[in-house]
Amino acid sequence: MSKDGLISELQSIVGREHLLTGERSTRRYRTGFRFGQVRALTVVRPGSLVELWRVLKVAVAAEVAIIVQAANTGLTGGSTPSGEYDRPVLIINTMRLSRIDTIHGAKEIVALPGATLDRLTQQLKPFGREPHSVIGSTSIGASIVGGVCNNSGGSLVQRGPAYTEMSLYAELGADGTLRLVNHLGISLGETPEDILRRLDAGAYDDGDIEDAGERRASDRAYQSHVRDIQADTPARYNGDPRLHFEASGSAGKIVVFALRLDTFAKQDNTRVFYIGTNDPDELTRIRRHILSSFENLPIAGEYMQREGFELAERYGKDVFLLIKHFGTNAIPKAFGLKNWFDGITERLGFGAGISDRLIQALMRITPNHLPKPIRAYNKSYEHHLIIRMGGKGVEEARTYLSSIFPTAYGDFFECSDAVGDAAFLHRFTFGGVPGRYKAAHSRQVEDILALDVALPRNTMDWLPELPEDINSDLVARSVCGHFFCHVLHQEYLVRKGVSVADLKARMLQQMDEKGIRYPAEHNVGHLYDAPLELKKFYRKLDPTNTFNPGIGKTSRRKNWQ
């Protein structure tokens, strides 16, 4: 099929308004949160599941490479084209397909591919329920399906990686036949269009919903798994075969139409405890004691190192204020507006990063946004741990921390609701800081080296310590993480003229020697080599290499050539 013929066919399905071909109109879909801008043939935005199915059939017949994306917020470029392909690339954006159905009294949900975590959080509030993740990727508008397809970990200690065995998806067989597979556990009909038409309309009731049986809609074994502090393997990481099942961990190698997931009871009686210390061994002892001895696991436990704290204080200020005053649903809109503005300024010859520099100039003249107790602890202590406890765990943590602090190296305080919320919000501005820093210091920074790593559960010396020959190649560094799960996000701004690839290879070799797995939760994207087991999983799901080719630095060519 010719390019014009394909575009004409697609336009007849979704309409002219939702078929994008220009450089400016497609930019936001080709550009990820940090990476992207490779050309694409077109971007298609279907408005129903039936339209999505028809778009897929046309695209498969045209033998193009197909990338399906939702909010496009991935930090490793996994939902945007990258590099050179042997075929034209078609991007399908699913954000118009955003409905969420609550079932079984909101103890479970059915989410369409464009539904966001933020929308789910708001929809579950009247039921006293929560999704797998409540902040973090939620704050940048991430989709529910994207989290499951990446086995994203989230910040909540009790819930583990995003996971389900109940999904409705399209797969392309080795014989070139596109098939719709209904493992939702909901009776919706026989033919693909009948199934999708009923789901589009929400035309099913309790009588159509089957009991899950042996299929799980969350990682129910995680609480006991994370408590095993003697294990020499990580609690969670993307390449863990334990959690690869159909849509879960698929990274776009099948096309997900809907997922069925568990929700979780919200704990209202919660408190945040803020710990500061100059001895990281104190945090090690706290982690191991709580995981092995507490009756109640923390809801969340987040680590921040001082340098990352201060970078986020300066370069994450706008995101903090935006979420605080307008909510997490404002982030995707702001990101879209920023992309639009950058597209215009780049076309006018002003170069990249104009919006980032303007935002920084504005933020420098506004008052400090962080509460005084948090800033005071940052002046006194290099290492910060914030723990949110709920129910009986509040008194359990209060008693334990009061028995061990103050020490010669550290102390803790119990936060008010406002201070506790600010502490966690500050932690979750870390993700966008490296990109902002790079844009503001483009003459000093070669690129961002982002490492998202999972430490073995029995690791004692968890804090990354770099040799001087690597430290000298860095302009700035930020370390934070989900401390009880032993997942660390290490972001390094590499000095101009230094080979980022060589530096990364040296650092990953050190991690390999320590049994550290990577990536932990952002998935391989186009930055990491997928492990052998994960590559096998991808090839099993997509034998013709039609969907998201090149993911995990695999072949971008048809049939995996």
Side-chain angles (χ1 to χ4, degrees):
M1 189 183 296
S2 68
K3 172 184 173 181
D4 290 342
L6 173 59
I7 290 176
S8 177
E9 288 260 16
L10 294 172
Q11 186 172 292
S12 70
I13 297 171
V14 301
R16 184 186 299 272
E17 180 184 356
H18 299 293
L19 186 77
L20 312 176
T21 55
E23 286 284 305
R24 280 183 60 191
S25 63
T26 62
R27 186 185 187 278
R28 63 175 294 190
Y29 305 97
R30 296 181 289 107
T31 306
F33 202 68
R34 290 181 180 168
F35 308 97
Q37 290 202 39
V38 170
R39 285 178 177 269
L41 174 66
T42 187
V43 175
V44 189
R45 302 177 64 243
S48 70
L49 298 175
V50 171
E51 284 186 4
L52 174 56
W53 175 253
R54 292 173 180 172
V55 165
L56 280 178
K57 289 200 296 182
V58 170
V60 166
E63 297 187 327
V64 296
I66 301 169
I67 296 176
V68 181
Q69 63 176 215
N72 191 21
T73 56
L75 297 181
T76 56
S79 56
T80 52
S82 176
E84 296 183 2
Y85 297 81
D86 61 339
R87 298 152 283 172
V89 176
L90 171 71
I91 297 175
I92 302 174
N93 183 275
T94 62
M95 289 303 288
R96 294 177 67 205
L97 309 175
S98 59
R99 199 181 78 248
I100 301 168
D101 298 335
T102 56
I103 60 176
H104 292 159
K107 291 181 180 179
E108 295 179 66
I109 58 105
V110 174
L112 301 196
T116 64
L117 279 165
D118 179 69
R119 177 170 181 163
L120 177 57
T121 301
Q122 304 308 318
Q123 196 164 326
L124 291 175
K125 277 184 179 179
F127 299 95
R129 310 286 295 180
E130 290 181 335
H132 160 265
S133 180
V134 295
I135 196 168
S137 57
T138 310
S139 68
I140 57 174
S143 71
I144 299 165
V145 167
V148 171
C149 289
N150 290 323
N151 283 144
S152 296
S155 64
L156 301 180
V157 181
Q158 302 172 16
R159 299 180 191 176
Y163 181 75
T164 186
E165 296 170 0
M166 310 185 77
S167 61
L168 174 67
Y169 62 93
E171 62 180 8
L172 185 63
D175 60 357
T177 301
L178 188 68
R179 300 178 181 89
L180 188 71
V181 180
N182 183 7
H183 286 163
L184 273 180
I186 302 175
S187 179
L188 294 167
E190 298 299 327
T191 69
E193 293 214 0
D194 284 344
I195 291 170
L196 298 174
R197 195 174 290 110
R198 283 188 63 187
L199 192 53
D200 271 326
Y204 62 93
D205 55 30
D206 290 347
D208 298 311
I209 302 173
E210 304 164 10
D211 183 74
E214 294 184 0
R215 287 183 178 261
R216 297 175 292 157
S218 62
D219 182 12
R220 297 170 187 167
Y222 188 73
Q223 289 198 28
S224 58
H225 186 70
V226 73
R227 282 183 180 274
D228 186 359
I229 60 173
Q230 304 304 330
D232 61 1
T233 57
R236 55 179 172 88
Y237 62 101
N238 292 137
D240 188 351
R242 184 178 74 90
L243 297 177
H244 293 159
F245 188 91
E246 296 176 351
S248 297
S250 60
K253 300 304 288 182
I254 55 177
V255 179
V256 179
F257 284 75
L259 293 176
R260 182 172 163 183
L261 289 162
D262 290 331
T263 67
F264 304 86
K266 182 179 180 181
Q267 293 181 270
D268 292 321
N269 177 27
T270 68
R271 298 296 284 177
V272 172
F273 299 90
Y274 200 107
I275 300 164
T277 182
N278 291 314
D279 178 8
D281 287 343
E282 289 194 328
L283 301 188
T284 302
R285 290 191 288 272
I286 289 170
R287 173 185 174 271
R288 292 176 67 84
H289 177 82
I290 288 177
L291 287 178
S292 62
S293 302
F294 269 33
E295 181 180 345
N296 303 279
L297 280 176
I299 295 171
E302 295 296 312
Y303 168 77
M304 300 180 286
Q305 194 173 21
R306 178 186 281 151
E307 185 175 0
F309 181 107
E310 293 174 350
L311 288 173
E313 186 176 17
R314 178 173 179 181
Y315 296 99
K317 185 177 184 179
D318 58 312
V319 174
F320 182 103
L321 294 174
L322 191 65
I323 295 174
K324 179 180 178 180
H325 295 296
F326 299 100
T328 55
N329 63 340
I331 296 295
K333 297 173 185 176
F335 185 58
L337 181 62
K338 179 180 179 298
N339 237 324
W340 171 82
F341 180 83
D342 285 341
I344 292 176
T345 54
E346 287 174 20
R347 283 172 62 88
L348 294 176
F350 290 103
I354 295 294
S355 64
D356 291 292
R357 291 194 286 273
L358 289 174
I359 291 169
Q360 278 307 295
L362 177 62
M363 289 300 105
R364 279 197 294 271
I365 62 174
T366 58
N368 194 291
H369 56 295
L370 295 180
K372 288 182 180 179
I374 298 176
R375 284 185 280 149
Y377 259 51
N378 183 58
K379 289 180 179 178
S380 299
Y381 304 114
E382 181 179 357
H383 307 285
H384 304 242
L385 177 61
I386 46 177
I387 304 175
R388 187 183 295 276
M389 302 296 298
K392 294 180 180 179
V394 173
E395 186 57 38
E396 198 171 13
R398 184 182 290 137
T399 301
Y400 169 63
L401 294 174
S402 298
S403 73
I404 63 171
F405 284 116
T407 68
Y409 302 101
D411 205 349
F412 88 102
F413 68 92
E414 189 170 332
C415 299
S416 67
D417 290 345
V419 172
D421 290 345
F424 272 95
L425 181 51
H426 179 57
R427 158 65 186 88
F428 288 109
T429 64
F430 274 53
V433 167
R436 178 66 52 75
Y437 186 99
K438 178 188 174 185
H441 301 274
S442 56
R443 294 181 180 179
Q444 291 81 40
V445 176
E446 181 69 26
D447 208 347
I448 302 165
L449 172 51
L451 299 176
D452 160 37
V453 304
L455 311 180
R457 283 166 282 175
N458 64 357
T459 299
M460 302 293 285
D461 298 322
W462 51 271
L463 191 66
E465 294 186 6
L466 303 177
E468 183 52 36
D469 63 327
I470 290 181
N471 259 323
S472 61
D473 288 335
L474 304 176
V475 176
R477 58 199 57 73
S478 170
V479 178
C480 63
H482 311 308
F483 192 64
F484 290 94
C485 301
H486 248 3
V487 167
L488 288 183
H489 302 302
Q490 304 171 29
E491 312 273 3
Y492 301 106
L493 284 302
V494 180
R495 192 175 303 282
K496 202 75 172 179
V498 174
S499 170
V500 177
D502 289 348
L503 196 62
K504 182 177 181 178
R506 290 159 61 195
M507 295 174 77
L508 292 183
Q509 182 179 357
Q510 290 183 345
M511 293 180 182
D512 290 338
E513 293 168 357
K514 296 179 180 179
I516 296 172
R517 299 296 184 96
Y518 49 84
E521 61 184 13
H522 294 158
N523 218 326
V524 288
H526 292 290
L527 294 186
Y528 295 93
D529 284 298
L532 180 60
E533 287 300 316
L534 190 54
K535 289 179 181 177
K536 290 179 179 178
F537 182 56
Y538 291 161
R539 293 186 72 138
K540 178 183 177 183
L541 293 176
D542 184 18
T544 66
N545 202 23
T546 294
F547 300 124
N548 211 5
I551 194 76
K553 297 191 175 182
T554 57
S555 170
R556 292 184 178 87
R557 301 180 67 83
K558 189 173 178 62
N559 296 319
W560 301 92
Q561 295 174 21

